[in-house]
Amino acid sequence: MARWRHAIELAMSDEEIGSLITLSRSRTELARRVERARMLLAYRENPSFFAVGQSLGVHHQTVERCVERALAFGPLAALDDRPHPGKEPTITPEAKAWLVSLACDKAREHGYPHELWTTRLLARHAREHGPAAGHACLARLVQGTVCKILGNEEIKPHKVRYYLENRDAEFEQKMAQVLCVYREVQVLKKAAAKSKKPGKSVAIVSYDEKPGIQALATTAPDLPPVPGVHATFARDHEYKRHGTLSLLAGIDLLTGKVHALVKDRHRSREFIEFLKLLDAAYPAATAIKLILDNHSAHISKETRAWLDSRPVGRFELTFTPKHGSWLNLIEGFFSKFARSVLRHIRVTSKHELKGRIMSGIEDINRHPVIHTWSYKLAEAA
């Protein structure tokens, strides 16, 4: 027993004992290292495998193996897990590359009715066609292994991330035109803040339509919240449709006032009716500049004919580029209006829905908010 005690006393210095914490890479590993260190320290005080095992709640053979490793390789090596050889990987790098390349194709390109791969389908295809492609190691491929291989390569062939193709060759130029209008808004605001005299007689309106607002009715009364019982309103899942409405709205970027119409549709005649609303809302000498998208109603023969009937300079239209409606400030207003007024709304008819929408617009106009565009504004000419 003396040789055991002597060997451990020589090897277990204070620095080595303290290093077991700093060298541990996880809590589980630290716990195992601490347990083995306690075995060695306890054996140094009482060189009995059985006594140490009983005091620490482990088998005496566990203590014996730990001490034997400390004598053979040193106490620090005894604290670590023994290296396990494990099973040699059976899937070759070439087979993994073939599988990843396969995942980058669509499933329908390989004769399946599926548009995209599922990991289960991909594993089945690899089992059936992998050996013929020279990868016999894939003959017993399972879904879990497919997930691991694709996860290591950060490939997710079962998912789709949408993007927007730029189909407007003049996108940059049209965007610059819109930004120039926003820059004009900024200049007019600063000029109005510095001078009390009335500035240039101009109104700049951001306009768009919000179609398909559903008039939905409940089929059973909503149940109110009950303190301590139900925190929210309760609503029956069934509902009744009464049709849809379109909101035609423009927000004055200088005053924050919202001009709005609610119609069953949003054709050229409804757009012209909105233009007449603007025409009546501003003095005859005011130039009305509109920012709007390329909807067919905005560029139709009827619309152009009506605009031509107005005095020169009365209306000036600036169109956002195709797929560039995000450049229109009114989109932010529609988003807020949908969340605050239209969300969860239930009505008994389209007429009631129209009244609720116009009441919401009137409420906003009582406390108008001036919307400001700042993104890429410094790039405007």
Side-chain angles (χ1 to χ4, degrees), residues 155-315:
I155 297 293
K156 299 178 181 179
H158 58 289
K159 292 188 175 182
V160 173
R161 182 177 64 85
Y162 287 89
Y163 75 100
L164 189 61
E165 180 72 16
N166 186 1
R167 295 182 174 89
D168 194 336
E170 300 178 349
F171 188 95
E172 295 294 334
Q173 297 91 321
K174 293 179 181 179
M175 181 177 69
Q177 292 174 4
V178 175
L179 295 180
C180 284
V181 177
Y182 289 143
R183 171 59 65 85
E184 184 179 357
V185 172
Q186 190 179 64
V187 171
L188 291 174
K189 286 178 181 178
K190 291 181 179 179
K194 292 181 179 179
S195 176
K196 295 183 180 180
K197 297 180 181 180
K200 184 180 178 182
S201 184
V202 61
I204 301 177
V205 178
S206 174
Y207 168 84
D208 202 2
E209 300 94 359
K210 183 175 180 60
I213 303 174
Q214 296 192 77
L216 302 179
T218 56
T219 57
D222 287 345
L223 304 179
V226 178
V229 181
H230 300 291
T232 65
F233 279 93
R235 174 173 290 170
D236 188 83
H237 287 281
E238 294 188 4
Y239 55 86
K240 184 178 180 181
R241 298 178 184 271
H242 291 297
T244 61
L245 292 174
S246 294
L247 171 61
L248 293 73
I251 183 168
D252 190 316
L253 301 183
L254 295 172
T255 65
K257 178 179 173 59
V258 179
H259 306 276
L261 287 177
V262 179
K263 296 293 179 180
D264 290 337
R265 302 173 67 179
H266 55 288
R267 300 163 297 179
S268 297
R269 66 183 66 178
E270 284 81 19
F271 179 56
I272 293 173
E273 187 175 346
F274 180 83
L275 293 178
K276 292 179 180 178
L277 176 68
L278 289 182
D279 197 25
Y282 293 99
T286 301
I288 303 174
K289 298 185 177 183
L290 273 84
I291 300 173
L292 66 172
D293 60 24
N294 292 274
H295 190 275
S296 58
H298 306 161
I299 56 177
S300 66
K301 293 181 180 179
E302 295 86 350
T303 300
R304 289 200 301 267
W306 187 87
L307 290 172
D308 290 341
S309 69
R310 306 308 302 151
V312 177
R314 176 60 166 172
F315 283 94

Side-chain angles (χ1 to χ4, degrees), residues 36 42 73 75 186 236 374:
R36 290 162 186 160
F73 306 106
Q186 190 179 64
D236 188 83
S374 58

Side-chain angles (χ1 to χ4, degrees), residues 102-173:
L102 183 67
C104 293
D105 297 334
K106 287 188 174 182
R108 64 180 176 86
E109 297 173 2
H110 293 268
Y112 294 98
H114 310 69
E115 178 72 12
L116 303 177
W117 292 108
T118 64
T119 52
R120 188 182 302 277
L121 178 63
L122 189 58
R124 191 183 81 190
H125 182 88
R127 288 194 300 268
E128 295 175 353
H129 299 87
H135 307 293
C137 57
L138 298 177
R140 302 179 63 183
L141 184 68
V142 296
Q143 181 185 8
T145 305
V146 171
C147 294
K148 291 179 181 178
I149 294 173
L150 297 182
N152 291 336
E153 298 296 332
E154 298 184 355
I155 297 293
K156 299 178 181 179
H158 58 289
K159 292 188 175 182
V160 173
R161 182 177 64 85
Y162 287 89
Y163 75 100
L164 189 61
E165 180 72 16
N166 186 1
R167 295 182 174 89
D168 194 336
E170 300 178 349
F171 188 95
E172 295 294 334
Q173 297 91 321

